[in-house]
């Protein structure tokens, strides 16, 4: 595609990734995450991997993975190893959940959303509209033991220890702290329709791909403490985190496929370069020292040199 003279250095050990959910083509917000993670990897002589997070099959759009890959390549963002698709990795997630089960950390839950809402209402707890309900532990057994987890017996939840405060450092936002019981409660690792959740799959796959640095949008910041807790339970090393500023629309809302953000235009190199420049601006990359008629490769090289987080 493009001849990008930014070789990865074997000594670096840096392994980063971009992990889009194929619910639609890349939009301005997802390009920022792709570009930021690519630049961070290249700056540090590392590798940049691509993982398609197509676990939530009902939300995935057929062909969106291919379109995302085409868009990335048009922007000169080439991945360094084979792409993995989460939909092909159910057995791996099953094995990881069995490890948690054997450690007496899982229990099955048959509550519907409505039942949870009713229980919380009886306890006088109201959940703000944009937040997930904190599970009132209705199905949690007094004493946790490994369970026989069968195919269709409801959701599987992770039993959190009582006082669990996760602290980590974000490279942009500094020290972060989350009390998992207060912020999220016993969260679901496998839904009652049998699908493993993002929280489990992302942790298992980041470890399987040896990811050392996670660079992604700030909208995912509130998930990080859950993921660090799972890493501890599964005996994985925690990567370093950098959460990038979000691209907001004119109403101050995060751009997302749900808000029907429009796809970036990458039909020709000029369009792709325009999109890269816009994404770069969100990342503080303005007025790079490149010629007015610079190619994508030249712009990416200048952006890599200028990258500093
Ligand atoms: N698949 C997630 C998304 O598209 C990103 C996961 C991650 O970077 O951890 O929002």
């Amino acid at each position: 595609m493009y001849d990008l003279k930014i070789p990865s250095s074997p000594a670096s050990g840096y392994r980063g990734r971009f992990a889009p959910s194929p619910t639609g083509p890349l939009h301005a917000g997802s390009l920022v995450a792709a570009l930021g993670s690519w630049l961070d990897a290249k700056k540090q002589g590392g590798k940049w991997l691509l993982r398609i997070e197509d676990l939530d099959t009902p939300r995935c759009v057929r062909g969106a993975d291919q379109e995302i890959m085409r868009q990335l390549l048009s922007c000169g963002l080439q991945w360094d190893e084979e792409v993995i698709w989460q939909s092909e990795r159910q057995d791996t997630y099953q094995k990881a959940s069995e490890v948690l089960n054997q450690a007496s950390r899982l229990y099955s839950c048959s509550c519907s959303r409505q039942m949870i809402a009713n229980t919380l209402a009886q306890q006088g707890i109201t959940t703000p509209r944009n937040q997930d309900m904190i599970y009132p532990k209705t199905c949690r057994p007094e004493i946790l033991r490994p369970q026989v987890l069968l195919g269709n017996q409801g959701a599987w939840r992770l039993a959190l220890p009582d006082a669990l405060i996760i602290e980590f450092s974000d490279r942009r936002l500094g020290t972060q702290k989350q009390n998992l019981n207060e912020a999220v409660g016993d969260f679901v690792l496998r839904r009652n329709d049998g699908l493993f959740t993002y929280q489990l799959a992302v942790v298992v796959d980041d470890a399987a791909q040896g990811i050392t640095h996670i660079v992604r949008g700030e909208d995912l910041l509130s998930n990080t403490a859950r993921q660090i807790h799972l890493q501890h339970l599964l005996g994985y090393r925690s990567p370093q985190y950098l959460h990038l500023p979000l691209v907001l629309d004119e109403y101050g809302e995060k751009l997302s496929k749900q808000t029907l953000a429009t796809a970036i235009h990458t039909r020709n190199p000029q369009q792709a370069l325009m999109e890269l420049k816009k994404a770069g601006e969100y990342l503080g990359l303005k007025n790079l020292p490149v010629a007015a008629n610079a190619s994508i490769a030249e712009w990416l090289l200048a952006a890599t040199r200028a990258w500093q987080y």
Side-chain angles (χ1 to χ4, degrees):
M1 200 80 246
Y2 300 101
D3 184 19
L4 288 172
K5 304 239 173 340
I6 311 177
S8 55
S9 134
S12 154
Y14 180 117
R15 291 173 67 81
R17 49 60 157 191
F18 176 52
S21 306
T23 51
L26 287 184
H27 53 75
S30 38
L31 182 62
V32 169
L35 177 63
S37 57
W38 188 92
L39 289 172
D40 201 57
K42 298 296 148 181
K43 179 81 183 196
Q44 301 198 43
K47 293 206 168 179
W48 185 70
L49 279 55
L50 177 64
R51 178 169 75 234
I52 303 291
E53 299 210 322
D54 57 347
L55 263 191
D56 189 353
T57 26
R59 286 184 53 229
C60 292
V61 172
R62 188 189 277 265
D65 53 350
Q66 299 302 326
E67 177 62 7
I68 290 171
M69 287 158 73
R70 196 196 59 71
Q71 291 172 303
L72 289 172
L73 292 178
S74 307
C75 290
L77 305 179
Q78 167 80 61
W79 46 96
D80 293 309
E81 289 180 9
E82 258 178 55
V83 180
I84 70 170
W85 273 262
Q86 289 191 323
S87 56
E88 292 167 3
R89 295 174 51 75
Q90 299 299 312
D91 291 355
T92 316
Y93 309 137
Q94 179 75 36
K95 279 193 198 123
S97 37
E98 202 41 53
V99 170
L100 298 170
N101 184 31
Q102 287 310 318
S104 303
R105 301 300 342 153
L106 288 194
Y107 63 95
S108 56
C109 165
S110 52
C111 296
S112 63
R113 286 186 67 77
Q114 192 56 53
M115 284 157 74
I116 298 173
N118 293 346
T119 309
L120 290 175
Q122 277 160 16
Q123 296 175 357
I125 300 170
T126 44
T127 307
R129 278 234 283 167
N130 55 355
Q131 272 175 31
D132 283 339
M133 292 183 286
I134 296 182
Y135 184 60
K137 302 189 181 164
T138 321
C139 292
R140 178 164 163 167
E142 278 293 311
I143 297 174
L144 289 154
R145 308 196 163 82
Q147 316 206 358
V148 182
L149 295 171
L150 297 172
N152 292 321
Q153 54 170 43
W156 299 350
R157 287 185 183 272
L158 184 73
L160 295 176
D162 282 346
L164 181 63
I165 295 177
I166 300 284
E167 195 174 314
F168 64 97
S169 169
D170 179 87
R171 287 165 54 201
R172 182 173 74 94
L173 302 164
T175 303
Q176 305 291 311
K177 257 191 205 168
Q178 195 180 55
N179 179 326
L180 275 184
N181 286 289
E182 282 174 11
V184 287
D186 288 355
F187 56 96
V188 173
L189 297 186
R190 203 203 68 151
R191 305 187 332 196
N192 59 9
D193 59 5
L195 293 176
F196 287 99
T197 60
Y198 160 65
Q199 307 296 350
L200 180 73
V202 79
V203 165
V204 169
D205 287 342
D206 282 332
Q209 294 188 292
I211 300 301
T212 58
H213 292 72
I214 291 182
V215 179
R216 60 187 180 190
E218 198 179 322
D219 54 323
L220 293 163
L221 181 68
S222 63
N223 295 274
T224 305
R226 265 171 281 184
Q227 294 169 13
I228 291 175
H229 179 54
L230 281 172
Q231 287 155 7
H232 292 166
L233 291 175
L234 290 164
Y236 303 151
R237 200 187 271 239
S238 293
Q240 289 188 34
Y241 288 94
L242 166 58
H243 289 90
L244 300 170
L246 287 186
V247 179
L248 303 178
D249 65 15
E250 62 210 270
Y251 309 106
E253 298 274 332
K254 176 199 143 194
L255 276 196
S256 71
K257 290 151 201 161
Q258 285 82 355
T259 56
L260 301 180
T262 46
I264 54 165
H265 300 290
T266 54
R267 285 280 155 215
N268 60 51
Q270 289 77 12
Q271 283 182 335
L273 185 55
M274 282 294 287
E275 298 288 3
L276 280 171
K277 287 183 176 168
K278 272 195 269 169
E281 287 207 4
Y282 281 102
L283 296 167
L285 299 168
K286 285 184 201 145
N287 308 321
L288 292 177
V290 286
N293 60 351
S295 66
I296 288 183
E298 287 163 341
W299 187 88
L300 282 172
L301 191 57
T304 307
R305 290 206 177 108
W307 179 254
Q308 45 182 2
Y309 261 108

